[in-house]
Amino acid sequence: QTEALRASGATVIVIFAGGYDASLFIEKAYDAGVGGPGFLWLGSDAVSQASTMARIEDPTVRRHVFQGFFGLTPSASTDSPIFRRYNRSRSAMPSTAGDGAGNCDLEIDDDGVQMWAADNDGNASTPLVCSGSDNQQGDIYAMYSYDATFALAHALHRLVEHARVAEVRGDELYEALVTNVSFEGVTGRIAFNDASADPSRRTHGDRTSGVRYDLWNFGQTELSVVGAWQPCSAGAAACSEISTSANFTYSTADNSKPHDGSEIGLLFAESGSGDGPKMAACAALLALQHVNEGNGSVVPELSRSGPNALQF
């Protein structure tokens, strides 16, 4: 994989992986010539952790590999009364992680299947693999999981108790979730955008409140938060509010800001032949936006529902 990555010539690399796997892959990629000044790693939330960087023990190599790294992690307030009640209840749950010596929690579900242990090799003589967790430790994913379970419960209640459906269908459950569910959850206000009237339905089902992501950047020695993203406070689901620091660290050798984007941006900067090229570039961007949205307001063939719909 690292050789294929090197052969591709890519210098901007997006990585979705667990932190341990990410650190191994990134270090091997660096050994293969991928990484260091001129290369930009963009990481998912599991990658964007100090422990991922710390696994590369040599601080000089760590700085060369990760300088200019950017990543996103979900962020939720832990100051609300709802969170404090949730945290007390979760911490009171017994650990399901086992004792570390192969003796797992053997609780079974309603179907008789073990919930926190598994036979991973088909050999009854080897220890089971424990799959539980220590509930004394906090985890942001657990907060979202708690709220997601309640959101689905609200939607099911709407279908079964109010609409009296004989069978729960996935599309109906989804629409009930989007159009009828809103409540104060552990991670904040839970509400979803109903874009059913929008032909593109691009933001249909997106969470419109109570969600925030932190932007992380690796400087000379460590990760730090340099910005945040959240939906617009006015509730417009198609827009967002971004706050950033001016103190970014870039992956260039001298920490200079790289070119900001595409060939179209360079065309704007370098063209000396009047406004024609700039207007053409803007029109090209508008066309790309309409294609990606399936927006047929100008060219009917761009409509996603049309017989000649473009698909990407």
Side-chain angles (χ1 to χ4, degrees):
Q1 290 179 326
T2 56
E3 288 299 323
L5 183 58
R6 182 185 61 79
S8 74
T11 57
V12 179
I13 307 158
V14 181
I15 180 167
F16 284 81
Y20 179 77
D21 291 337
S23 61
L24 289 178
F25 181 82
I26 291 172
E27 187 170 21
K28 288 183 179 298
Y30 180 74
D31 292 339
V34 177
F39 289 85
L40 172 61
W41 291 95
L42 301 174
S44 61
D45 48 356
V47 182
S48 307
Q49 307 290 331
S51 57
T52 301
M53 287 67 182
R55 291 189 180 99
I56 297 181
E57 296 181 355
D58 187 322
T60 302
V61 174
R62 186 188 310 136
R63 179 172 59 82
H64 275 284
V65 171
F66 288 110
Q67 178 179 319
F69 169 94
F70 285 92
L72 288 173
T73 62
S75 176
S77 172
T78 58
D79 294 332
S80 69
I82 292 178
F83 173 82
R84 289 193 288 271
R85 292 195 297 269
Y86 154 80
N87 198 43
R88 286 195 298 269
S89 297
R90 180 192 54 76
S91 299
M93 296 174 64
S95 171
T96 57
D99 62 3
N103 298 310
C104 307
D105 186 312
L106 301 180
E107 182 181 0
I108 60 174
D109 62 18
D110 291 342
D111 297 321
V113 178
Q114 289 175 336
M115 299 171 60
W116 314 115
D119 180 359
N120 70 324
D121 58 6
N123 185 346
S125 65
T126 58
L128 295 171
V129 174
C130 303
S131 57
S133 64
D134 179 1
N135 293 307
Q136 301 303 311
Q137 299 182 6
D139 184 273
I140 195 167
Y141 293 107
M143 299 164 60
Y144 284 100
S145 176
Y146 186 91
D147 283 346
T149 302
F150 259 95
L152 285 172
H154 278 294
L156 286 168
H157 180 81
R158 183 76 183 182
L159 290 176
V160 175
E161 298 297 329
H162 292 264
R164 298 292 182 181
V165 298
E167 178 183 2
V168 176
R169 289 172 31 194
D171 58 341
E172 293 178 341
L173 179 62
Y174 179 67
E175 291 306 313
L177 183 67
V178 171
T179 58
N180 291 288
V181 173
S182 63
F183 62 96
E184 292 295 332
V186 176
T187 59
R189 182 72 184 170
I190 311 297
F192 304 97
N193 183 45
D194 181 3
S196 53
D198 182 349
S200 73
R201 294 173 66 93
R202 188 163 64 105
T203 61
H204 190 63
D206 286 359
R207 187 170 170 182
T208 58
S209 60
V211 61
R212 168 192 164 111
Y213 283 86
D214 287 334
L215 174 66
W216 294 79
N217 179 217
F218 190 89
Q220 296 296 312
T221 59
E222 62 183 2
L223 275 173
S224 60
V225 175
V226 294
W229 174 93
Q230 60 187 4
C232 287
S233 55
C239 73
S240 60
E241 294 177 342
I242 302 173
S243 57
T244 59
S245 162
N247 300 318
F248 291 153
T249 298
Y250 299 105
S251 58
T252 50
D254 60 356
N255 196 35
S256 60
K257 184 178 180 180
H259 280 301
D260 188 11
S262 64
E263 293 299 325
I264 291 176
L266 296 178
L267 174 65
F268 284 172
E270 297 170 2
S271 172
S273 55
D275 291 333
K278 299 178 183 180
M279 294 172 66
C282 285
L285 285 174
L286 178 63
L288 286 173
Q289 179 181 337
H290 284 175
V291 168
N292 288 331
E293 293 178 350
N295 184 338
S297 61
V298 177
V299 180
E301 284 79 9
L302 290 181
S303 173
R304 293 189 188 278
S305 59
N308 299 312
L310 296 174
Q311 299 292 332
F312 292 92

